[in-house]
Amino acid sequence: MTPGGSTPTGDSRLPGGATGARADLLVAGADLVATVDDTRREIAGGWVAVTDGVISGVGGPSDPRPEAARTIDARGCLVTPGLVNTHHHLYQNLTRAFAPALTGGLFDWLVTLYPLWARLDEEAAYVSAYVGLTELALSGCTTSTDHLYVHPRGAGDLISAEIAAARDLGLRFSPTRGSMSLSVKDGGLPPDSVVQDDDEILAESQRLVEAHHDRAPTAMTRIALAPCSPFSVSTSLMIRTAELAERLDVRLHTHLCETQDEDAFCLEQFGRRPVDYLDDVGWRTDRVWLAHVVWPSAAEVGRLGAAGVGAAHCPSSNMILGSGLSPVAELRAAGAPVGLGVDGSASADSASLWLEARMAMLQGKLRHGAGSMTARDALEMATRGGAACLGRTGEIGELAVGACGDLVVWGLEGVRFAGALSDPIEGWLRCGPVAARHTVVAGRLVVEDGVPTRPGLDEQLAVHRRVSAAMQA
Ligand SMILES: [Zn+2]
């Protein structure tokens, strides 16, 4: 551990290093503050102050602390940056653990569920996002993406409905405008009822960026563009979406290298492996982050890393669908930003980002030995790695002055942690299961003492049950 220094904001710095400005929130007395900042400072007895939604100070026990409107006692706790979820399909929690789709691999699973998802509408998008983002916040997530690629005809504005849910809850949200344009009749996997034509998809993508995309460093809402996958989207849509993202200066996301079935599909349809196809359509750039990345060859890992293409590692989903073990250590070594994703709630079923961090640690050890992946590596992927995937390095995913005021207070006491005395970060990820005690976004508590702060969850769960039952009927 390195001793922590006080880092007050420039305009509130007083002679002697004390902070004069009153903070909105002070989290103080933590067993450990794991900043995951540029120097990876870990501060025993540390504190974090947030003012106007932004971190205004980080320090240790001997550093002068600012006065604050509210102080949270973090004794017995680990404080980390808020976790960043880089891949999800929130709407899929409407078909969680769906009995007829429990044993298929990716393609069988999709073909079973597409007809149900064709019933998606604005109410379903809102309530699934509300419940799904609440679930994420309880696991310490403060920023989530979503990949909503099913847009049935006449379903309405599903992305705006999701954004409304994120706003109501106070979570930072980066939905991607997903799309499918290649149906069964054109050699793709999805049925005709859930695909759209290219012009409609691109027009809608541009409209959503213009309506919602906030370029400010403290943005609560950003939009990215996200054709679903090589087996559900035309080549022309991949190319035109990349061109549109360049023109609008927004990020690009898709699924790639998820299964060996996908390798076979790409070889048969395009005569190319998935990463070669990515090159062909102009997607091997640092504007892109990819979900899964399980099956790239060693040479392809090098090419992705050299281009700065990010990867959303989804360890639970990759296991539950039998997809495989992603070469995470190799991707990181090659220079690719690697974040974590809970993936869709109908494949991974659980949507705890803490659990994905633990799974990432365990899979890393399984793949290359016990010393190859630590809790710190997993924490880094869950925070800074995710920020890098979203093009938000310095804005989120670290506790540093000027970054967004997003943090999590994790209790390290009670039965689960008895005896875990020597390393709070390893203890946090090895012991458990763990949920957040407090989840803070932009200085506001969205989870307090393990409970969502916004009233009305029971009512939303009742709506969710009704909508889910209708979808599964
Ligand atoms: Zn996915």
Side-chain angles (χ1 to χ4, degrees):
M1 288 174 206
T2 53
S6 170
T7 49
T9 49
D11 59 359
S12 63
R13 185 183 279 273
L14 295 175
T19 49
R22 183 176 160 92
D24 297 321
L25 181 70
L26 177 68
V27 177
D31 280 10
L32 191 74
V33 173
T35 64
V36 203
D37 68 2
D38 289 347
T39 59
R40 311 300 192 269
R41 277 192 309 160
E42 295 177 5
I43 311 170
W47 54 266
V48 182
V50 183
T51 308
D52 294 333
V54 171
I55 295 175
S56 51
V58 180
S62 60
D63 299 311
R65 302 188 323 207
E67 292 294 314
R70 172 151 192 208
T71 298
I72 290 177
D73 182 355
R75 280 177 296 179
C77 297
L78 171 70
V79 175
T80 70
L83 308 187
V84 179
N85 180 31
T86 57
H87 186 64
H88 204 1
H89 311 286
L90 286 160
Y91 73 91
Q92 291 180 6
N93 64 25
L94 293 161
T95 54
R96 213 157 11 189
F98 184 59
L102 294 180
T103 54
L106 177 67
F107 281 17
D108 289 338
W109 175 86
L110 281 170
V111 168
T112 304
L113 285 164
Y114 282 139
L116 278 68
W117 297 338
R119 296 168 187 158
L120 206 55
D121 61 13
E122 287 181 3
E123 181 185 42
Y126 178 91
V127 77
S128 59
Y130 190 103
V131 170
L133 292 171
T134 300
E135 183 179 13
L136 282 165
L138 289 168
S139 75
C141 175
T142 54
T143 299
S144 185
T145 60
D146 189 51
H147 189 178
L148 206 175
Y149 55 79
V150 180
H151 294 274
R153 199 153 301 285
D157 185 348
L158 304 181
I159 304 278
S160 294
E162 288 191 287
I163 290 170
R167 284 201 182 127
D168 288 347
L169 291 164
L171 255 72
R172 226 175 277 285
F173 192 41
S174 289
T176 67
R177 205 303 177 175
S179 53
M180 296 196 291
S181 63
L182 199 68
S183 72
V184 174
K185 70 172 170 27
D186 300 314
L189 203 62
D192 229 26
S193 56
V194 293
V195 305
Q196 296 175 293
D197 73 47
D198 292 7
D199 289 338
E200 186 180 4
I201 290 165
L202 292 163
E204 186 61 8
S205 298
Q206 177 158 350
R207 184 189 69 77
L208 286 164
V209 170
E210 287 165 356
H212 299 296
H213 189 75
D214 181 355
R215 298 178 192 279
T218 54
M220 293 297 289
T221 310
R222 295 238 177 114
I223 305 281
L225 306 186
C228 185
S229 63
F231 49 83
S232 57
V233 169
S234 66
T235 299
S236 68
L237 183 64
M238 290 295 287
I239 293 169
R240 292 177 67 193
T241 304
E243 290 168 353
L244 181 63
E246 192 73 31
R247 184 158 66 73
L248 299 176
D249 190 22
V250 296
R251 296 187 73 75
L252 278 167
H253 183 53
T254 191
H255 296 89
L256 207 81
C257 303
E258 182 171 357
T259 64
Q260 290 176 301
D261 286 349
E262 179 190 322
D263 281 0
F265 179 94
C266 288
L267 283 169
E268 192 183 317
Q269 283 285 316
F270 314 121
R272 309 279 275 156
R273 287 179 49 76
V275 174
D276 297 325
Y277 181 65
L278 204 69
D279 280 351
D280 295 346
V281 293
W283 273 60
R284 195 158 60 83
T285 79
D286 62 5
R287 188 181 291 287
V288 172
W289 87 103
L290 303 170
H292 300 288
V293 200
V294 175
W295 291 104
S297 68
E300 289 165 349
V301 165
R303 284 159 60 197
L304 292 171
V309 175
H313 177 37
C314 305
S316 292
S317 170
N318 294 343
M319 287 193 289
I320 209 161
L321 289 172
S323 302
L325 292 174
S326 170
V328 170
E330 292 86 341
L331 284 161
R332 297 179 80 206
V338 179
L340 298 181
V342 298
D343 201 8
S345 307
S347 56
D349 297 301
S350 167
S352 159
L353 209 48
W354 174 88
L355 186 63
E356 294 310 312
R358 190 171 198 273
M359 286 296 179
M361 178 178 73
L362 298 183
Q363 279 196 2
K365 291 178 185 295
L366 180 64
R367 202 174 159 94
H368 291 301
S372 62
M373 179 79 73
T374 67
R376 284 171 176 76
D377 291 322
L379 174 62
E380 175 138 343
M381 286 192 278
T383 53
R384 285 182 78 94
C389 284
L390 302 191
R392 300 198 71 170
T393 298
E395 296 177 6
I396 58 173
E398 61 184 284
L399 299 177
V401 171
C404 293
D406 302 355
L407 59 88
V408 188
V409 180
W410 309 88
L412 300 181
E413 294 171 321
V415 171
R416 291 182 180 85
F417 291 96
L421 306 178
S422 60
D423 187 329
I425 297 177
E426 286 289 338
W428 165 71
L429 207 53
R430 286 169 177 250
C431 307
V434 181
R437 178 171 296 174
H438 308 303
T439 302
V440 174
V441 182
R444 291 185 292 271
L445 279 101
V446 297
V447 172
E448 182 172 2
D449 292 321
V451 177
T453 54
R454 180 170 169 99
L457 178 59
D458 287 346
E459 289 79 357
Q460 292 298 331
L461 285 169
V463 174
H464 193 280
R465 187 171 187 86
R466 170 174 56 76
V467 171
S468 175
M471 189 172 275
Q472 294 183 28

